[in-house]
Each structure stands twice: as C-alpha cells, then as structure tokens.
Amino acid sequence: MSLRFTSFIEYEEDDVEYNKICDEHKHLLETLPKGSGWSIQHLYNYNGFWIDEMLLKAILLLDTYFKSEPTDIVLASFMKSGTTWLKTLMFSTLNRDRYSFSNHFLHNNHPLSTIPFLGMKSYPMTDSTTFSAPRLFITHFARTLLPACMSSCKFVYVCRDPKDVLVSKWHFMCKLRSKDLTPLSFDEAFELFCLGVSEFGPFWEHVLSYWRASLESPDKILFLRYEELKKQPEVVVRKLADFMGKPITMEEEKKGVVWEIINLCSFENLRNLEVNKKGVEKLGNFEVEKQSFFRKGEIGDWKNYLSEEMKDRIDGITKQKFQGSGLIGFNE
Ligand code: A3P
C-alpha cells in the first residue's frame, strides 16, 4: 500500500487561518534578517535560527495546525548528525515484531519512507504504522521553534561532532545547491558555519536547545551522540527500546535481536542495498539522490578537510558555547 499525506497537518487553502499565515509569512520574509543559504540564495533568521522560505512556512503551519499526541516520539537532530541511521534504528526497534530480519521493510524501501518529517511536503510513506500510536516523526528544527503543544511529546535527539557535521553538510548541500548560484567552496561553508549561518543553525544553539530541555525533562528527551552509537551501538539500541516503551526482553536478548537490528541498520548494509543506491527522492522542494544519505559514515573525516587553525576555531566555539551548560564537547 502506498500512502500519501502532508505530515499530519490538514488545512484548507482558502480558510481564514491559512490566509493569515500566508500574510504573516510574506511579512516575515520582508522583515527578517537575511543570510546566505548553502543550497539556495537566502536564509532568514527566525527567532534565532536560520531557515529557508519553505521551512518558515512549515513552522507557521505547524504552530496553527499540528495536533500533537502525548504518545508521539520525535527524532530531532541538526542535519547530517546521523538522522538516517537513528531513523532506521528507531523504526526497526519499534516494529521488530512486524518484520522478519531476513525479509525486512528496509530491504526494499529507502529510510526516507519510514518516518515522516514534521511539516514537510509529503513523499510516499510505504509503512502504514505511520498512523498508529506511537507516531514517529523527524525534525531538524531547534526545540524552541516547535509548537508549544509538543511539550508533551518524547524526543530522541542525536548530536555529532560539529567538525564532522560541517564536512558532511558541505558535501550534501553542494549536491542540492541551485545551478544558478556559484559553487560553495569549503572555506565559505566553514566561515558561514562558524558564524552560525547554516540551515537550522547555529549548530551550537540547536544542540543546546535540546540539551536544556533534556535537563528539565530527562524522561522526555533521550540525548544521544553519533560517536557513542558508533562505539557501543548495542547500548544505544537497548536505550532506544526502553525509551520507546518496548524494552528488549530476555528472550529477544537470547535470540540476538539487538544485533539483528544493528546489522540491518549498519552503514555497510544500508549503503549496499539496491533500493538505496539508485534514483532520487523528493525532500521538500529538493530532489536528492538516494545514495547521498550514505557517504562515509565515519568519525573524524574532518581531518581530511580542516586545517589545524580551522579545527581550533570550531573547538574554541564549542567550548565557549557549551561552557556552564554541563554538556561536554566532542574532544573530551
Ligand atoms: P558522512 O557524510 O560523514 O558520511 P543525516 O542522516 O543526519 O543526514 O546524516 C548523514 C551522515 O550520517 C552522513 O555522514 C552519512 O554517511 C552518515 N550515515 C548514514 N547512515 C549511516 C549509518 N547507518 N551508520 C553510520 N553513519 C551513517
């Protein structure tokens, strides 16, 4: 079955509320501070974060129309922090009774078809559990940009060393970058990233928005790191299962279910599946090659791109921004 929907927000394009949103959107585009986009020309600074025109509209629509449910679980991340990996782990952990590991949904469907992005235009969702509780969603929006009604939802947040995020993001955005613009050099991307001018950024404020929320409500936000997932995936999968309310049973432990999940969602396995190798998927207004979600999948690829001076600058910003927050950096 192939289902189409627009991320659980329903509206009539001629209703009064929708027209108000369009007017507000237009007004904001004229008045908000502008910065350079990585894939398109302009980003807008909305309540401290840089987003494009389409995402700004999505936030306004979510604010008015999204009806959260207390059972909702949202995977949140700054883009290129390991969202694809986490989404496959969450999806296969939650649905482990529904699919056999030898003939799994993920063998024939790209990870984009598993969990919908909140507020983004639809792409085909081929798994019908999307509609039943607990509903899973993904967002790249900072915690403070999300509608107030979502304070009852649970969040899994994944963060990653900003140096690796920068490199990963530069590669990805160069592929999406409009052909009408001059190519974005790595040096330009580095400078913009450090200034915080980067889709969904600044990176550091994004991480802190979820970190602070996790301190306030530790039972509602599971705060993870890409690096810990790389080093101890089995620990993280068990944590995910507990957090999503479906702990791994003793019997499942004996059967090796945790490692079945890890192997299914491993970089090597997913990257080599035919369904993830060829073709394009629609992501908002962009067409993305399916394989571009699987580049290297390593810790420390930044060493191939950043000079010693660039490394020190990013580490310095991280140290300064995280100071006093209780959040440790990525080199400690
Ligand atoms: P690199 O570009 O450093 O290789 P996101 O999913 O948030 O867009 O993040 C993309 C990054 O996660 C890319 O990093 C990608 O290669 C990596 N990635 C994707 N799937 C992965 C997996 N199963 N295991 C580890 N890393 C993965």
Side-chain angles (χ1 to χ4, degrees), residues 47 71 120 148 154 159 223 239 250 276 317-318:
N47 293 340
T71 48
M120 301 263 278
K154 280 183 157 183
C159 70
F223 195 90
K239 268 193 210 171
M250 285 303 281
N276 297 332
I317 299 173
T318 306

Side-chain angles (χ1 to χ4, degrees), residues 33-96:
K34 274 191 200 169
S36 296
W38 292 35
S39 61
I40 57 171
Q41 196 168 15
H42 294 302
L43 296 180
Y44 299 86
N45 192 296
Y46 181 65
N47 293 340
F49 291 93
W50 293 98
I51 48 176
D52 68 20
E53 190 174 335
M54 179 194 78
L55 294 168
L56 178 61
K57 179 95 170 260
I59 289 181
L60 301 178
L61 288 170
L62 280 173
D63 242 345
T64 306
Y65 294 108
F66 183 65
K67 292 187 181 65
S68 67
E69 291 173 12
T71 48
D72 289 344
I73 306 174
V74 185
L75 165 58
S77 63
F78 186 88
M79 64 181 292
K80 311 325 284 178
S81 297
T83 327
T84 311
W85 193 10
L86 251 300
K87 84 169 81 161
T88 57
L89 287 170
M90 287 171 67
F91 178 82
S92 50
T93 302
L94 196 63
N95 293 308
R96 61 189 187 268

